[in-house]
Amino acid sequence: MLDWILRRIPRWLVWKIAQRYIAGTSLEGAVAVVRRMNDEGFVVALSYLGEHSTRAEQCDQALTQYLEILETIHRLKLRAQLSVKPSQLGLPLDFGTFLQRTVALLTRASALGIFVRLDMEDSKHTQSTLLAYRILRRRFPNIGTALQATLHRSKTDAASLLDGETNLRVCKGIYPEPRSIAWQRPPEIWRHYLQIVLLLMRRRAFVALATHNERMLRRLEKLVAQVGLPPERYIFEMLLGVRFTRARQLLAAGHPVLLYVGFGAEWYEFALRRMHESPQLIWLGIRGLFSRT
């Protein structure tokens, strides 16, 4: 039902709403946002919006754009990293060619000292994304990936990745998944989320804590203190423009905080997914039409 409603919101209004948490369509616009966020003390993960490339040319164009982003981050000395959709670089089309593109990206990122995270997409890509991560981290310490607490398998995946230097983002998951492989009720999802996080914290893996849920944020702050996790072993992650006051509070409390900043012409599907995951973004966006605070 919500999908049906979202698809009927005029595109211009979706854009107005999305502008609160998407940094425009150009790299230049994204850089301006990154500078402002860096000035406030935030780290930024830049994402060139787009996924599910269907042709090799699209994948190559995405790689070219990401290489340009790397050079821009380095030249301007931005406190930023990359967050990359594997399907955008051709993961479903040809695994070997996807690896070649990602190696080219990571080689340059490594030379420039920039971290790259492979985003986790829907469950069709979970196994191949984790396989790519296992292969690539043998050569590149500057890579991480993500786990979705919605999926039953994620705690087992976390445990299997704890050999060597592990860098994982733990998020709720925004893709609709069948009951056979995924928790459906929020209490089950958040319980699983905490189990994954606690496992990673106790084993001193680097963990990116991605959530806007207030109850979870309070629990995670307590866990960080209880486990005695140093700031170099974790970071809170939030979406640009969502609960920004809370993000500032986390920063003021001494926690490292990263803002996920997407930009690019393929903003529409990204915006719809985010509004589906968090319908309150619709209200936040409409309110943002009248106030940018």
Side-chain angles (χ1 to χ4, degrees):
M1 182 63 177
L2 183 55
D3 281 333
W4 185 89
I5 294 171
L6 289 174
R7 292 287 176 181
R8 280 153 182 79
I9 298 175
R11 194 179 180 94
W12 69 265
L13 182 54
V14 174
W15 172 243
K16 288 289 187 181
I17 295 170
Q19 281 181 301
R20 188 178 182 90
Y21 55 93
I22 293 174
T25 58
S26 69
L27 178 56
E28 291 76 15
V31 165
V33 172
V34 175
R35 284 186 185 278
R36 291 200 304 272
M37 297 304 101
N38 283 174
D39 287 345
E40 290 210 34
F42 296 104
V43 182
V44 168
L46 270 174
S47 177
Y48 174 56
L49 298 176
E51 56 188 271
H52 300 299
S53 298
T54 57
R55 303 188 312 276
E57 309 87 76
Q58 292 175 300
C59 304
D60 293 337
Q61 190 276 331
L63 174 59
T64 298
Q65 177 68 79
Y66 273 115
L67 289 170
E68 182 182 353
I69 296 169
L70 288 177
E71 300 300 333
T72 301
I73 290 172
H74 178 70
R75 185 179 72 256
L76 300 179
K77 297 180 173 57
L78 303 175
R79 292 182 64 212
Q81 55 185 243
L82 292 189
S83 204
V84 178
K85 289 285 191 298
S87 70
Q88 190 181 31
L89 293 180
L91 176 67
L93 301 179
D94 182 88
F95 187 76
T97 307
F98 160 76
L99 283 181
Q100 290 174 5
R101 292 188 185 98
T102 311
V103 164
L105 181 64
L106 287 165
T107 298
R108 188 57 183 153
S110 180
L112 298 177
I114 298 171
F115 179 79
V116 178
R117 188 177 302 281
L118 298 180
D119 281 346
M120 188 59 71
E121 301 174 88
D122 61 86
S123 60
K124 295 191 299 293
H125 306 305
T126 301
Q127 189 66 25
S128 52
T129 299
L130 292 180
L131 175 59
Y133 175 59
R134 287 186 171 94
I135 292 170
L136 293 165
R137 71 176 182 161
R138 295 171 191 163
R139 281 183 60 185
F140 301 101
N142 61 317
I143 186 174
T145 190
L147 295 175
Q148 297 170 331
T150 300
L151 297 181
H152 294 163
R153 61 176 290 167
S154 291
K155 184 180 177 183
T156 301
D157 287 331
S160 73
L161 291 168
L162 282 171
D163 54 316
E165 184 66 18
T166 302
N167 188 312
L168 295 174
R169 172 199 291 148
V170 183
C171 58
K172 173 178 171 284
I174 64 173
Y175 297 92
E177 301 288 358
R179 187 175 301 273
S180 59
I181 64 168
W183 308 112
Q184 305 296 315
R185 298 176 57 248
E188 297 171 327
I189 296 170
W190 292 120
R191 181 166 56 248
H192 195 216
Y193 185 108
L194 285 172
Q195 290 171 355
I196 297 166
V197 164
L198 190 56
L199 171 66
L200 296 173
M201 286 182 174
R202 285 175 172 166
R203 294 289 295 273
R204 288 303 195 266
F206 185 94
V207 56
L209 306 164
T211 183
H212 302 108
N213 182 281
E214 180 57 31
R215 184 178 179 185
M216 288 303 302
L217 287 170
R218 291 197 300 266
R219 292 287 301 275
L220 292 169
E221 284 190 278
K222 289 179 181 177
L223 271 182
V224 166
Q226 289 169 2
V227 175
L229 207 60
E232 62 270 16
R233 302 309 301 164
Y234 75 97
I235 195 165
F236 282 93
E237 289 197 10
M238 303 179 83
L239 187 66
L240 173 72
V242 181
R243 303 210 64 203
F244 195 35
T245 298
R246 187 65 170 101
R248 284 170 167 155
Q249 290 172 351
L250 288 168
L251 203 61
H255 299 293
V257 182
L258 175 146
L259 298 179
Y260 187 101
V261 176
F263 79 96
E266 301 297 321
W267 58 268
Y268 182 69
E269 292 297 328
F270 175 83
L272 290 187
R273 278 201 311 277
R274 291 297 175 179
M275 286 189 285
H276 185 279
E277 176 201 15
S278 303
Q280 67 269 24
L281 291 180
I282 302 172
W283 164 244
L284 286 172
I286 292 173
R287 189 175 66 180
L289 297 179
F290 303 97
S291 170
R292 302 299 292 179
T293 60

